[in-house]
Amino acid sequence: AAFALRQMRARPTVAAAIVLTLALGIGATTAIYSVVDRVLLRPLPWADSDRLVYVSETVNGNPASAGVGHFHDWAEQARTFEGMTAFAGRTFNLTDGDAARVAGLRVTPGYFQVAYAPPALGRYFRPDETMASRVAVLSHPLWQTRYEGDSSIIGRQIALNGELHTVVGVAG
């Protein structure tokens, strides 16, 4: 140990390079493990998450979202699945109060039932509700930050992309 210390004092640049290399290696290993742990090792935060399946299409050798027509065909013909749902990620202009651009999903009515996720507040979409129904379910983080966890949000109207939508629930 004394010899190693003398060598480090004699060559401080080499010692600094070694310490820096070790620090970067340990940091990179920790970061990679954190991602692998969160994405691959931990179960999804839903009941029976091992029963969820994501289905997509391949177009010209590239992964792609399933088309609306294909989804409806699959949903009608599926005998293996307990339920099917579709979603598309997008952003919305939320203009009640200060205008904000928020990330969200357009989903089919059974989206939350397929994920087995009970609402934190209110209810989820009914089977008869479509985009024309103009109802919305807020994410829990949006409800907490934008509306300060106010439970009176249920039944209120919010403006999404310039159209009024009635809030029926908050996702759990």
Side-chain angles (χ1 to χ4, degrees):
F3 177 74
L5 288 174
R6 278 196 308 264
Q7 290 298 318
M8 287 174 40
R9 261 195 222 134
R11 297 184 181 99
T13 307
V14 173
I18 290 171
V19 170
L20 182 62
T21 302
L22 282 171
L24 287 173
I26 292 169
T29 302
T30 303
I32 290 171
Y33 177 77
S34 296
V35 170
V36 167
D37 179 50
R38 195 160 288 258
V39 173
L40 298 175
L41 302 178
R42 287 188 189 172
L44 294 171
W46 300 297
D48 298 325
S49 62
D50 58 327
R51 298 181 58 196
L52 294 176
V53 178
Y54 178 79
V55 180
S56 65
E57 293 182 313
T58 301
V59 178
N60 297 327
N62 298 313
S65 297
V68 174
H70 289 172
F71 168 74
H72 287 295
D73 288 345
W74 295 342
E76 287 175 11
Q77 298 171 17
R79 301 291 174 257
T80 307
F81 299 118
E82 192 175 311
M84 290 186 76
T85 188
F87 64 92
R90 59 174 303 176
T91 58
F92 299 88
N93 288 322
L94 179 58
T95 55
D96 64 332
D98 293 335
R101 191 90 174 140
V102 295
L105 296 174
R106 283 229 160 143
V107 300
T108 55
Y111 178 80
F112 296 103
Q113 287 76 18
V114 167
Y116 306 109
L121 190 65
R123 64 173 176 84
Y124 290 137
F125 305 117
R126 293 189 310 255
D128 62 323
E129 290 176 325
T130 64
M131 287 189 337
S133 302
R134 302 282 184 247
V135 292
V137 173
L138 302 178
S139 71
H140 196 274
L142 180 67
W143 175 56
Q144 288 294 314
T145 58
R146 177 85 178 202
Y147 302 102
E148 299 172 344
D150 183 6
S151 60
S152 70
I153 189 69
I154 303 301
R156 279 187 20 204
Q157 290 194 320
I158 60 172
L160 294 171
N161 294 342
E163 297 177 338
L164 290 178
H165 289 70
T166 302
V167 176
V168 295
V170 174

